[in-house]
Structure formats: C-alpha cells, structure tokens
Amino acid sequence: MVNGQRFPRDEWTNVTPTVLSKINRKLHLQPQNPISIIRQLIESNFQDFQKFNNHSPIVTTKQNFDDLFIPKDHPSRTKSDNYYFNKDVVLRAHTSAHQIQGLMSGSRKFLVSGDVYRRDEIDASHYPVFHQIEGVFYTDNDIQQLGTELKQLQEDKKTTNIQLVDDTVIKPENPYQTCHQPEAVDLIATHLKHSINSMIRNIFADEPNLKVRWIDAYFPFTSPSWEVEIEYKGEWLEVLGCGVVNQKIMNQAHLDDKIGWAFGMGLERLAMVLFGIPDIRLFWTEDERFINQFEPGKINKFMPFSKYPPCIKDISFWISENKWHENDFCELVRGVAGDLVETVELIDDFTHPKTNRRSLCYRINYRSMDRNVTNEEINIIQENVRNTVRDEFNVELR
Ligand code: FA5
Ligand code: MG
C-alpha cells in the first residue's frame, strides 16, 4: 500500500522502502527549503504560466515513456534506471511525464514541478530523488502569430555578468521535424531561447562572471533539441534540456494546428550553485540548522555546520551590578573554549523580589566541526569558563 493505493507486484517491481519514504516529503513545496525557493524564483520568470506543483510522482509507464514516444527498447526504460511498482506503474523519472496532461488542460503555457526518481550512481551530486521543473508553451502554428508572440518578449540584456555562448545551428543531426515549416520552427525556437536566457539572467543576476552555453541534444519528445550548461568551479554543469515539441505529442493532445516548446530543468544543481550547498543530501536533512538558514524569496549562502553531536552545559550566576554586557561574556567564552563553542544562549533572567539581585543562566553548546567531543574534556573547559567569569566579571556562581 502506498498513499492508499495498492500495486500488485510483478517481475518489474523494484521500489524500495527508502525511496518510498521520500514521496511525501515534497521539498519543492516546503517554503524554507532551497528547492522551493528556487522553484518560486523560476516561476516568477513565467508570470502568466499556469503552475502545477502537486501531481503525484506515481505515474503510468504510458505517461513516463509511451506518451513521449520513447521507444520500447530505449535504455532509459530499464529496471536498472527506474523505480517500478510493476510493469505499468513507475515513479516518474522526469516531469515530462505530465506534458500530455498539461497540454490537455487547455492551458497554453504551464509549468510542472515535482520530485523525480532515478536509480543512479551515488556521490555528492547524485541522489535517487531530485526535482525538476517543466515548462511548456504553445501557440498557433502560423508565422504571423509566432512573430507576434516573439515581439511580446523583450529580452533583458542589461546584465553583463553573464557570458552567453550559443553557436548551435539547426542541422540534419538535430533536425526540423518534417511536418514543420522551418520559418515557424525558427520563430518558436527563438521564443524558447529568449525565455530561457532571460530566466537565467534573472536567476543569476548576482553571480559574477557566469558562463552559459547552448549545445545540441537529443530527446525523443523534441526536435530540434538543446541542453543548457553553466560553468561552475571550472566544470560545465548541465542544467536543462529543451526543444521544439514532437508534433505527434501535440496531435495526441488534439493540438494539431499548434506548435510548441518544452524544457525540463533540474532544481538541485541550480540550488547547489546559487546557495553554495556542497552536498545533495543536505536538501533532505531534518536538521534544523540547515533549514533555518533559509528564508522564502531570499538566496542566503549556506554556512556549513558540524555533523558531530553537541555537548550542552549551563552556567548561572548572580551579577553584582546591574550592568551586564552579553557580548563581553560571549567573548570570554570564546577565549576559553575557542572553536569548540557553537552557541551561547541566555535561557533565564531572574531578579529576586526581595534582594533585587539579578541572576542569569546561559546555555553553552559545545561542538567540534571535525570530531566527537567527550564530556570529560568539556567539563574541564566549562570549569575554566566558570572560574574566568567569576574572576573577571565579579559574579557569584550558582
Ligand atoms: C530530461 O529529464 C528531459 N525530460 C528534459 C526535457 C524536457 C527535454 C522537455 C526536452 C523537453 P535529463 O535527463 O537530461 O532530461 O534531465 C534534465 C535535467 O535534470 C538535467 O539537465 C539536470 O539538470 C537534471 N538532472 C538529471 N539527472 C540528474 C541527477 N541524477 N541529479 C540531479 N539532477 C539531474
Ligand atoms: Mg541530460
């Protein structure tokens, strides 16, 4: 049973409890998660597009493959690349699984975001679940109409921090579809490229010296097709695939007289670059120290935190005069404990009703960035903190 549905097992079944435990996390809908922040940032570049963000990741093999004209023997269908419930039902491997659904919804421009699942290698940039956002746009297959649509897009060329290279040309290896007029394809392709380039310019407006390049690609569901890569730490990182929608898909959705484009973009890689997040697993951590670094609508640079356990000690004392400077106290703790101190927090501030004396209690969180600390060593440091506070600030320890 998964989300109230039962899927009979067969020789295709290979979903695992670990991967199933991810399907209700919906990181792209958790407002503080960088995946959601970046989704919204992308959406803000496509104001008049309809947004579908809550389609179930459990789809049919028809949706994930057949509807997109992915051949029966295509390697991307194999059990070793996908998580199957059975021969007919699979965890979507891309948001393109919802293209037909969107095209049939009557919406002329839409975005679909969601979690996607692939069996893959394991390293800092690969995880069996990641997130994609799909964009689809179509209009009348008519040169005049296409020209009008294109004029409505004004590409913002103000920003100069981005070096954009596109030397692709439509050629037999990455061809026009025979049913299309080349002029119409040129217009819709220009519309696609303008839309994507202006999104990238906006998203990376604050990144210095960004390099972006367009290269030829192949997808069964688009032609011509391209991929966009950005240079990050000296390496070209593929961020999206796109192209002119296979007309057979348009026809399937009863849109024979329309022509369209589609793109599918990974959110993790963009988020890792923008937020400076070094490891893809961090998006999934339930450690509050991760999520609390981020706010909706903002791109805060990630600050690494320790994966070792804390050792927590409280200290309380009566202060002698009423002047108390918390920063001086923190400075003193740092002086004694060095980098082993992670946080210092006032947890109690009490004034005795009769004597009018004021008592403070601070909680000191000790933690190392690179090893486990022992209670014994922290006790020695804490004793040292106590003695120093007593001597330097003239307080009475409790
Ligand atoms: C696709 O998934 C196509 N559906 C994209 C597409 C849509 C093409 C519409 C044309 C029209 P691809 O497998 O290349 O293509 O993945 C698209 C993007 O998802 C990649 O560019 C990358 O940013 C991201 N991605 C792919 N695999 C991973 C992975 N293992 N981990 C993180 N991100 C990934
Ligand atoms: Mg690819």
Side-chain angles (χ1 to χ4, degrees):
M1 285 283 273
V2 179
N3 286 358
Q5 278 177 284
R6 194 181 290 281
F7 303 100
R9 299 176 69 92
D10 63 17
E11 69 282 3
W12 283 83
T13 310
N14 68 352
V15 286
T16 61
T18 317
V19 79
L20 289 177
S21 73
K22 310 292 187 209
I23 65 177
N24 291 321
R25 288 285 299 279
K26 299 181 197 278
L27 302 187
H28 63 297
L29 300 180
Q30 306 306 321
Q32 260 181 286
N33 196 292
I35 299 295
S36 165
I37 297 173
I38 199 139
R39 167 187 61 83
Q40 286 181 285
L41 190 57
I42 292 162
E43 286 178 352
S44 68
N45 285 275
F46 295 94
Q47 300 269 7
D48 49 353
F49 280 53
Q50 192 172 348
K51 322 292 189 296
F52 299 101
N53 295 324
N54 224 339
H55 287 322
S56 167
I58 304 171
V59 301
T60 60
T61 49
K62 177 175 183 303
Q63 288 174 290
N64 201 68
F65 305 117
D66 304 339
D67 284 352
L68 296 160
F69 296 92
I70 297 174
K72 283 280 182 218
D73 58 355
H74 197 272
S76 71
R77 289 195 184 232
T78 57
K79 251 174 95 166
S80 63
D81 281 12
N82 297 281
Y83 291 102
Y84 281 90
F85 287 88
N86 57 41
K87 69 175 188 353
D88 300 318
V89 181
V90 66
L91 283 170
R92 67 183 162 214
H94 51 183
T95 43
S96 303
H98 302 288
Q99 275 191 14
I100 288 267
Q101 216 171 328
L103 289 169
M104 305 268 275
S105 73
S107 181
R108 213 165 62 77
K109 341 170 159 188
F110 61 90
L111 298 176
V112 183
S113 72
D115 37 336
V116 303
Y117 298 76
R118 295 184 194 180
R119 297 181 69 193
D120 212 331
E121 56 194 286
I122 299 184
D123 66 26
S125 63
H126 289 87
Y127 198 72
V129 196
F130 59 99
H131 296 77
Q132 285 186 336
I133 189 161
E134 191 91 359
V136 179
F137 169 93
Y138 67 82
T139 188
D140 293 339
N141 189 351
D142 168 281
I143 305 286
Q144 204 146 16
Q145 182 57 36
L146 281 158
T148 312
E149 293 281 355
L150 190 53
K151 272 198 215 90
Q152 282 164 6
L153 283 186
Q154 288 168 336
E155 203 182 339
D156 179 10
K157 292 205 158 119
K158 280 191 298 258
T159 44
T160 52
N161 61 322
I162 292 173
Q163 188 190 322
L164 226 156
V165 179
D166 180 5
D167 49 19
T168 59
V169 283
I170 300 179
K171 51 183 176 289
E173 302 87 81
N174 187 18
Y176 293 111
Q177 297 170 45
T178 49
C179 57
H180 284 154
Q181 259 181 297
E183 297 74 24
V185 175
D186 291 345
L187 288 165
I188 195 92
T190 307
H191 190 279
L192 164 67
K193 289 182 172 184
H194 276 304
S195 306
I196 288 177
N197 286 335
S198 89
M199 165 183 68
I200 292 176
R201 283 201 171 88
N202 284 329
I203 294 178
F204 289 100
D206 297 331
E207 289 289 311
N209 310 322
L210 194 75
K211 282 195 196 145
V212 179
R213 74 176 181 197
W214 284 73
I215 55 173
D216 284 303
Y218 170 78
F219 301 100
F221 34 95
T222 49
S223 190
S225 308
W226 300 277
E227 279 175 350
V228 175
E229 299 184 329
I230 61 178
E231 196 191 55
Y232 180 60
K233 293 194 171 153
E235 291 200 34
W236 287 102
L237 202 65
E238 179 198 317
V239 295
L240 67 87
C242 64
V244 178
V245 179
N246 185 334
Q247 196 61 34
K248 287 193 278 186
I249 296 174
M250 301 300 293
N251 299 351
Q252 200 98 295
H254 316 296
L255 300 168
D256 303 57
D257 56 342
K258 311 289 182 195
I259 187 166
W261 56 246
F263 70 79
M265 172 155 65
L267 298 183
E268 271 75 359
R269 289 182 188 169
L270 283 182
M272 288 171 86
V273 174
L274 277 176
F275 293 85
I277 294 171
D279 191 311
I280 197 163
R281 290 173 299 176
L282 281 164
F283 296 113
W284 296 90
T285 178
E286 313 226 33
D287 192 322
E288 299 273 310
R289 290 174 297 163
F290 177 73
I291 208 72
N292 286 341
Q293 296 191 23
F294 306 107
E295 313 161 57
K298 289 228 180 95
I299 304 214
N300 300 339
K301 285 286 178 208
F302 170 67
M303 305 270 282
F305 52 80
S306 171
K307 51 184 183 293
Y308 297 95
C311 180
I312 293 159
K313 302 284 173 190
D314 292 346
I315 177 171
S316 24
F317 42 78
W318 297 103
I319 54 176
S320 45
E321 303 136 45
N322 225 343
K323 66 171 189 323
W324 172 254
H325 297 293
E326 191 161 290
N327 283 351
D328 293 343
F329 173 68
C330 289
E331 206 46 50
L332 178 150
V333 177
R334 196 180 288 289
V336 174
D339 280 349
L340 285 181
V341 54
E342 186 172 85
T343 55
V344 173
E345 185 192 0
L346 181 66
I347 56 168
D348 189 43
D349 183 346
F350 158 81
T351 304
H352 194 281
K354 294 226 172 78
T355 64
N356 230 10
R357 285 176 92 200
R358 192 170 158 212
S359 162
L360 302 176
C361 179
Y362 282 94
R363 174 156 294 169
I364 306 178
N365 197 334
Y366 295 96
R367 187 193 317 252
S368 162
M369 283 298 283
D370 40 40
R371 62 184 175 85
N372 278 314
V373 291
T374 65
N375 198 34
E376 289 71 36
E377 71 176 310
I378 300 302
N379 276 341
I380 296 171
I381 294 172
Q382 179 73 359
E383 196 49 39
N384 215 333
V385 168
R386 288 172 63 86
N387 294 337
T388 318
V389 177
R390 185 195 56 213
D391 298 347
E392 291 194 12
F393 293 156
N394 195 23
V395 302
E396 187 188 331
L397 296 172
R398 302 184 62 176

